[in-house]
Amino acid sequence: MRLLRTPSPVVLEGMLPNPATCLARLNADRLKKIARLWVGKDANKLNKEGALRAVTHGLGDPRAIRAVVAGLSDFERTGLGLIKARGGHAVYTEELVGELLMFDLPFAGKEHYGGYHDGVGTHFGSVNALLDTGLIIRIDGSGERITRYEPGLGVYSDAKVLAAVDPLVPKPLAIEPRPGPPAGSVRRPTEVLLECLALARVLSAVPPIPLTARGLRSKSALARIGKPLGWKEHAVSLRNALGFYLSLFEAAGLLREVPEERCLALDRAHAEALLAEPYPEQTRRWARAYRALLGWCEAMPLAIHFYADPDDPEPSTFNALRAALLLGLGALPETGAWYRVEDLSDAIFDRIGPHVGLGYRRHFHAPHGATPSKLAALRGEWLAAERGSWRELEGLWIASAVAGPLHHLGLVELAASGQGKGTSEVFRLTEMGRIALGFHRSEAKPVEPRPAWVVQPNFDIVLYLEDAAPAALAFIDRIAEHRQLGGDTALYRLTREAIYRALESGLAAEALIRRLGEGSRHPLPEAVAHTLGDWAARRERISVHRNARILEFASGAVRDAALQAAKVKGTAVGERYVLVQSVARGFQIGAVLCYEPALPKCLCVAEDGEIRIDPTTRDLLITSELAAFSDPISGDEYGWRMSGASVRRAAARGWSATEVVSRLGGRAKHRLPPLLECAVRAWGGARTAPGPIALPTVPILQVGDRQAAEAIAQSALLRPYLAGRLGPHAFLSAQDRRARSTRSSRSLASR
Amino acid sequence: MSVGPVLHTHLTLVEVAEPETLAEIRADRRLGPLIVAQLSERVAIAAPGCAKDLVQRLIKAGHTPKLIER
């Protein structure tokens, strides 16, 4: 089924085409060039099929792969290493563009610009250079190069090729550390986690988010989610915080599209697992998700509006810049030092500026016959103009990204440096930022799990954030209601509703009470433990079984014998029923009646109101249903009769005539007799049919209502009393039976 | 006629610990209409397809039902 939204990298991993199929789409010339990697100059002698065979054979041979990878340029190995570093095989094209250019390595076509009509330009030049090796393949399976008109969603590489590659480290950015204060504004991982937990909790409680025909999230659904969260922009220092977090969840694979239902639904198991992971791992995941974020942007300067739609859930230049920015932060010369945001922006420009931009990028055109010195001067002027434009547009965006999502996710610490007019914003990587963005795998110091909360006798829980491991925080958030966040603590309260939700989500009552006590700095107050046990026990008082199976036996003795012989496992219910857990193989069942999606059809309904139940398909609900609007025929187990009195009784209890007809029609094995339908409507007061009736000297039956007239015309019951039909509303009555005919017709109209 | 017991599938059942609770549910004007048949003094059948609605109404009425999926 077609997806309305662009699949996240996590989802993309499950949609990768077969490499051999994609390679077969390339033309002979390109295949031969690729085959040269595997068989050398002999590739020139091969035809298309031969070249394809050589490449696919090589891709299946680990030794040949190692040899090919060893012969790759640094640029090519960097490209493959960047894909490998993600932990998967696929990457959005735009992300790879940003990261490859940040490595500042030479590649074929880096400086080539073919003029205004050049669809390739220098933006996608790096990825095209890699595509030419055949070691990465377009996810859409196309053999064409990537152009700005058809950018292609992403690329991927074979798992065996990636296994042979060691990711490379970029050279440090040319950027000077600046003096900064001892400490700045930093968001702790616990604060980020609390917000993610809150969003996950709300997404679990509300229906999935419907998608519009364009694949955008329904605005009413967003309002429904936003209200309980109560996030205000000034409180979370983030533009459209809800949009950001939803996109982040989607990019991390926690929120997934359900194409059959055209909606986005939370993957609860995945979300619970991720939110209980250690903080460094969570931060790494959020950084990766931020890089692949779609449908949200940090800032939208007016000049960009012409080129980009921030709501469009497609990879765009924003993704290229995010990838470049994160890689740049990982390539800072001193990881613990303060830097100016403007300096970071300039350093990124030096690497990618001439190729990637949010707005229109002006390329350098060398005038014909210019001397080298003139050329250098002109290039310098062009570069200075481009840098100025970058500072006004991309520089502003970078400042918004650092102060917005990067600070919000706890990756950078912010502060102001200098005084008066010389004040500038400085930043430095946090410990989590260094772990998540650094190229050398490092871990935070392992923290011994310590009791992290105190349960008060008034059911409040004071949670000490410094000591709270993610799993502990997720546990408290699951069993209690969040009340307040202040300084180093968060306040929760145990309520009956929260405990009920926790138990319904699969947590056992004993485990809940035990874990609450184990994580507490003081023993759990006895009254609290007692009340929790009581709340849990209340849940056992009523059970709603969905999709339950009931076996109906002929008698209690037969039922008990089947249970005793272990032919049926389950609970005895009433006199002769069993709520079934399982049935032994070979146990003979007489009939199976399924109650959904529609109830069994087991009735035969006559025109005069007599209802007969088919004993072979009689279900457990039919008698109680019939009792609502008909009366049992005494001495007949399967016979019921509907009359004016029984329908009027039902009407008095709130049944409408339409409901009675619909219920009866749904259970009848045939179409309801029209006369009876008409009669039920009349009995139920839905209409005054059949209207005025008169038998003049000439015996004519006149019926005011057209529908009632049709019913009379089709009626087998009235046929003997009618000699013929005179028109749409009149019948010629049989002379000797006219009194009875009028009486029967009047019974239809009686109310 | 059938030679063995009849298996009724895809039913929504309400099971209570005490018969009084079922009587209380049946008497409630928001919950009563959803109960369509009673198999014993502690087990009743709810209208087909209304399990989630029933659970929500029970919660609204102050109960804490356990939803058991087969």
Side-chain angles (χ1 to χ4, degrees):
Chain A
M1 194 160 283
R2 198 175 72 86
L3 291 172
L4 287 171
R5 291 180 74 78
T6 305
S8 69
V10 180
V11 178
L12 268 187
E13 290 290 333
M15 300 168 62
L16 305 181
N18 184 337
T21 317
C22 301
L23 288 169
R25 293 202 184 113
L26 301 179
N27 63 30
D29 282 346
R30 289 192 63 193
L31 263 177
K32 279 189 203 176
K33 276 184 194 165
I34 292 169
R36 253 184 249 167
L37 270 178
W38 300 93
V39 293
K41 284 182 181 172
D42 289 347
N44 295 337
K45 298 173 197 161
L46 298 172
N47 61 10
K48 183 179 171 180
E49 285 71 32
L52 181 61
R53 259 198 312 277
V55 176
T56 47
H57 180 262
L59 283 170
D61 179 0
R63 254 179 39 193
I65 290 173
R66 276 198 297 276
V68 164
V69 168
L72 293 176
S73 68
D74 278 353
F75 166 76
E76 289 161 341
R77 277 188 288 124
T78 297
L80 294 172
L82 286 169
I83 299 176
K84 183 178 180 175
R86 286 169 161 73
H89 311 99
V91 56
Y92 286 153
T93 311
E94 290 282 2
E95 283 183 46
L96 194 57
V97 163
E99 292 184 348
L100 274 171
L101 288 168
M102 281 298 286
F103 268 76
D104 203 19
L105 294 166
F107 58 86
K110 187 172 184 181
E111 304 302 332
H112 175 78
Y113 177 61
Y116 180 76
H117 296 290
D118 178 8
V120 176
T122 60
H123 183 105
F124 293 112
S126 55
V127 177
N128 280 327
L130 273 180
L131 281 172
D132 287 344
T133 64
L135 293 173
I136 68 163
I137 294 165
R138 284 177 63 158
I139 280 171
D140 56 14
S142 164
E144 300 298 317
R145 303 189 93 202
I146 291 172
T147 69
R148 66 167 174 251
Y149 305 116
E150 284 183 46
L153 176 61
V155 294
Y156 79 101
S157 186
D158 190 82
K160 292 191 282 295
V161 174
L162 294 180
V165 175
D166 292 321
L168 299 184
V169 176
K171 59 184 178 191
L173 293 184
I175 177 172
E176 286 294 317
R178 301 281 171 162
S185 159
V186 64
R187 274 172 58 88
R188 288 166 298 182
T190 44
E191 292 174 70
V192 180
L193 178 56
L194 279 172
E195 265 152 20
C196 293
L197 284 169
L199 180 60
R201 194 174 52 239
V202 173
L203 287 174
S204 306
V206 299
I209 305 169
L211 295 174
T212 66
R214 263 185 75 199
L216 304 179
R217 304 176 195 114
S218 142
K219 284 190 176 166
S220 56
L222 296 185
R224 207 165 43 234
I225 296 166
K227 203 173 172 188
L229 286 171
W231 289 344
K232 299 278 186 301
E233 295 212 1
H234 66 269
V236 290
S237 68
L238 194 63
R239 179 184 160 271
N240 182 11
L242 178 59
F244 169 74
Y245 269 103
L246 288 175
S247 290
L248 196 73
F249 269 39
E250 218 177 326
L254 306 186
L255 202 54
R256 292 185 186 223
E257 182 178 346
V258 186
E260 310 84 48
E261 294 169 29
R262 285 176 58 152
C263 65
L264 287 173
L266 180 75
D267 182 343
R268 286 175 74 165
H270 190 176
E272 275 173 22
L274 193 154
L275 298 177
E277 282 182 2
Y279 291 120
E281 189 50 39
Q282 282 191 33
T283 315
R284 248 185 230 120
R285 298 255 205 148
W286 296 137
R288 272 185 220 151
Y290 169 65
R291 198 169 45 192
L293 204 70
L294 305 178
W296 181 90
C297 75
E298 295 74 358
M300 202 64 181
L302 269 179
I304 311 176
H305 268 292
F306 185 72
Y307 297 98
D309 177 359
D311 288 337
D312 202 1
E314 295 280 334
S316 63
T317 312
F318 289 117
N319 297 90
L321 282 176
R322 282 183 202 126
L325 175 59
L326 293 186
L327 197 136
L329 289 171
L332 289 171
E334 291 175 40
T335 50
W338 292 95
Y339 296 95
R340 280 190 349 147
V341 179
E342 290 91 333
D343 294 345
L344 174 70
S345 164
D346 278 356
I348 293 174
F349 172 80
D350 290 339
R351 302 255 172 118
I352 71 168
H355 309 281
V356 175
L358 290 172
Y360 178 65
R361 200 72 295 133
R362 282 166 296 182
H363 295 271
F364 178 66
H365 300 276
H368 179 67
T371 59
S373 58
K374 174 79 176 167
L375 211 57
L378 286 172
R379 182 176 275 278
E381 281 172 26
W382 164 75
L383 210 54
E386 282 299 288
R387 189 183 293 279
S389 152
W390 173 277
R391 283 177 180 162
E392 285 173 14
L393 202 60
E394 286 81 3
L396 185 72
W397 179 89
I398 287 173
S400 305
V402 171
L406 296 183
H407 174 247
H408 196 79
L409 292 174
L411 295 166
V412 297
E413 188 176 351
L414 294 177
S417 170
Q419 285 183 334
K421 283 186 179 176
T423 307
S424 58
E425 277 226 327
V426 290
F427 72 92
R428 68 177 174 188
L429 288 177
T430 59
E431 187 193 357
M432 288 299 143
R434 285 194 287 277
I435 293 169
L437 306 175
F439 288 90
H440 302 286
R441 183 103 185 164
S442 56
E443 295 293 345
K445 283 172 281 183
V447 182
E448 280 291 308
R450 282 183 291 184
W453 57 77
V454 173
V455 183
Q456 312 272 19
N458 66 353
F459 295 89
D460 278 352
I461 301 176
V462 181
L463 182 73
Y464 296 93
L465 297 174
E466 283 303 314
D467 295 333
L473 196 50
F475 169 71
I476 292 295
D477 197 78
R478 192 175 172 190
I479 65 160
E481 280 177 13
H482 183 235
R483 289 293 164 100
Q484 207 179 318
L485 178 69
D488 294 333
T489 59
L491 187 67
Y492 280 84
R493 172 162 289 182
L494 291 164
T495 62
R496 201 180 71 179
E497 292 75 21
I499 293 294
Y500 172 65
R501 277 197 302 272
L503 295 175
E504 275 298 287
S505 70
L507 202 59
E510 303 76 35
L512 185 153
I513 297 171
R514 192 184 61 242
R515 196 165 168 196
L516 191 63
E518 283 171 359
S520 180
R521 290 182 176 181
H522 303 297
L524 202 59
E526 258 180 48
V528 171
H530 182 77
T531 308
L532 290 179
D534 190 41
W535 286 342
R538 271 181 69 96
R539 185 169 158 269
E540 302 297 326
R541 287 184 203 165
I542 303 176
S543 305
V544 175
H545 299 259
R546 204 173 171 196
N547 291 330
R549 292 183 300 164
I550 288 280
L551 255 182
E552 180 187 6
F553 288 83
S555 68
V558 181
R559 187 265 315 265
D560 295 341
L563 280 173
Q564 216 157 28
K567 289 176 182 169
V568 176
K569 278 189 184 168
T571 318
V573 173
E575 285 178 10
R576 54 195 183 90
Y577 302 104
V578 173
L579 175 56
V580 180
Q581 275 179 3
S582 64
V583 177
R585 187 173 285 183
F587 180 71
Q588 201 169 7
I589 288 170
V592 178
L593 295 178
C594 183
Y595 288 66
E596 282 185 31
L599 288 167
K601 290 183 181 292
C602 59
L603 298 181
C604 291
V605 186
E607 215 172 31
D608 62 353
E610 187 179 330
I611 303 167
R612 297 216 63 77
I613 302 172
D614 178 353
T616 59
T617 52
R618 186 183 64 169
D619 58 73
L620 295 169
L621 308 182
I622 194 63
T623 48
S624 55
E625 265 185 47
L626 289 176
F629 48 77
S630 57
D631 300 308
I633 298 173
S634 71
D636 184 352
E637 191 185 347
Y638 302 110
W640 290 73
R641 182 173 294 283
M642 199 155 53
S643 62
S646 69
V647 173
R648 278 192 290 277
R649 238 184 7 251
R653 286 199 299 268
W655 283 72
S656 72
T658 313
E659 278 170 344
V660 173
V661 168
S662 151
R663 185 65 68 91
L664 199 58
R667 304 291 249 135
K669 292 180 159 186
H670 51 81
R671 185 174 174 250
L672 282 187
L675 185 69
L676 184 69
E677 270 188 45
C678 215
V680 171
R681 291 210 164 88
W683 291 332
R687 63 170 74 220
T688 54
I693 296 173
L695 267 182
T697 316
V698 182
I700 293 173
L701 174 65
Q702 292 177 317
V703 185
D705 184 272
R706 178 68 181 265
Q707 201 181 342
E710 291 303 325
I712 289 169
Q714 291 173 34
S715 165
L717 187 71
L718 295 179
R719 194 164 299 133
Y721 310 114
L722 301 173
R725 189 167 183 178
L726 299 175
H729 297 278
F731 298 86
L732 189 61
S733 172
Q735 187 83 17
D736 55 334
R737 296 174 184 173
R738 66 182 181 186
R740 205 164 160 195
S741 164
T742 311
R743 207 165 43 244
S744 298
S745 301
R746 279 199 188 286
S747 78
L748 279 175
S750 62
R751 300 183 60 178
Chain B
M1 289 297 285
S2 60
V3 291
V6 180
L7 180 65
H8 303 268
T9 68
H10 294 87
L11 283 164
T12 302
L13 296 184
V14 181
E15 188 182 10
V16 295
E18 288 141 14
E20 296 77 36
T21 314
L22 192 53
E24 189 188 327
I25 291 171
R26 294 204 78 151
D28 189 310
R29 65 184 173 80
R30 291 163 299 178
L31 299 166
L34 294 181
I35 305 298
V36 288
Q38 198 159 336
L39 295 179
S40 73
E41 56 181 9
R42 293 198 304 107
V43 178
I45 305 176
C50 76
K52 278 194 175 168
D53 189 23
L54 178 65
V55 168
Q56 275 168 7
R57 289 193 200 190
L58 282 166
I59 293 169
K60 230 175 185 176
H63 300 286
T64 48
K66 183 160 78 173
L67 183 63
I68 301 169
E69 298 261 1
R70 294 279 167 189

